Amino acid sequence: MWTTLIWIAVALVAIGLYLSWTAGRLDRLHARLDAARAALDAQLLRRASVAQEVATSGMLDPAASIVLYQAAHAARQAEEEQREVAESELSQALRAVFGEPEQVEAVRRVPGGEEAAGELAAAVRRVPMARRFHNDAVRAARALRRHRKVRWFRLAGHAPFPLAFEMDDEPPSALADRAAQG
């Protein structure tokens, strides 16, 4: 009888340790997710800020400046529910303005344009990477949260279910080529 109780106690301790380890793992995934989201937000803000600087610098023709400025401003001011749409619209505006290598070359020829084109190319290149890291963290957290043991024992606590950030982040080909050269 005592051996049965000891084995039951050992089994309960083992289960408790396993659940504790799983909860710790889930907590680390949520921390990774928060860090990835902060990095994504920083890269999106940087891209919008650099796009606004280029739009207001006088390096572009007036129509392109207005299109780029409005899209960048909307992306910076968007509420969380509209953020993916606003960021996608900024990507589309960047492709419309910098779709051809001639437009990038025209910016580069203006005083200060070389630096501005390089900064914009770097900002545009970093957004897809940051989004990929964020969405990878979301996938990992979702996979663990779908396990029965996590749901039954409520190991996720009150943390919201992680959501991927879906947007059009295709860079303009001329800027992507510029980033590869620089």
Side-chain angles (χ1 to χ4, degrees), residues 97-109 113 117 172-175 178:
V97 173
F98 295 106
E100 300 296 325
E102 295 80 31
Q103 285 125 334
V104 176
E105 288 303 317
V107 168
R108 289 176 68 195
R109 283 192 294 269
S173 58
L175 275 179
R178 166 76 181 115

Side-chain angles (χ1 to χ4, degrees), residues 48 51-56 60 62-78 85-87 89-94 97:
Q52 264 187 321
E53 284 179 30
V54 170
T56 58
L60 301 172
S65 291
I66 290 170
V67 167
L68 191 58
Y69 180 82
Q70 287 177 341
H73 181 72
R76 289 184 70 179
Q77 301 299 319
V85 173
E87 294 294 347
E89 289 172 353
L90 176 55
S91 294
Q92 293 165 3
L94 284 165
V97 173

Side-chain angles (χ1 to χ4, degrees), residues 67-147:
V67 167
L68 191 58
Y69 180 82
Q70 287 177 341
H73 181 72
R76 289 184 70 179
Q77 301 299 319
E79 296 292 325
E80 193 59 37
E81 305 83 42
Q82 298 300 317
R83 184 103 187 263
E84 293 171 347
V85 173
E87 294 294 347
S88 294
E89 289 172 353
L90 176 55
S91 294
Q92 293 165 3
L94 284 165
R95 282 196 304 272
V97 173
F98 295 106
E100 300 296 325
E102 295 80 31
Q103 285 125 334
V104 176
E105 288 303 317
V107 168
R108 289 176 68 195
R109 283 192 294 269
V110 174
E114 181 73 34
E115 183 180 317
E119 194 173 342
L120 184 58
V124 165
R125 185 184 70 242
R126 288 184 184 123
V127 167
M129 289 187 292
R131 189 174 75 85
R132 197 170 314 118
F133 287 136
H134 174 266
N135 288 348
D136 287 347
V138 166
R139 267 190 293 286
R142 281 181 169 182
L144 185 58
R145 286 182 68 155
R146 285 191 183 112
H147 288 204

Side-chain angles (χ1 to χ4, degrees), residues 13-89:
V13 167
I15 290 170
L17 287 173
Y18 179 71
L19 290 175
S20 176
W21 176 80
T22 303
R25 183 172 165 228
L26 187 58
D27 187 50
R28 287 187 302 276
L29 281 173
H30 281 148
R32 181 177 144 209
L33 181 61
D34 290 343
R37 181 58 190 235
L40 175 61
D41 286 342
Q43 292 305 323
L44 291 172
L45 180 62
R46 183 168 191 267
R47 179 181 77 151
S49 297
V50 172
Q52 264 187 321
E53 284 179 30
V54 170
T56 58
S57 68
M59 296 179 194
L60 301 172
D61 64 83
S65 291
I66 290 170
V67 167
L68 191 58
Y69 180 82
Q70 287 177 341
H73 181 72
R76 289 184 70 179
Q77 301 299 319
E79 296 292 325
E80 193 59 37
E81 305 83 42
Q82 298 300 317
R83 184 103 187 263
E84 293 171 347
V85 173
E87 294 294 347
S88 294
E89 289 172 353

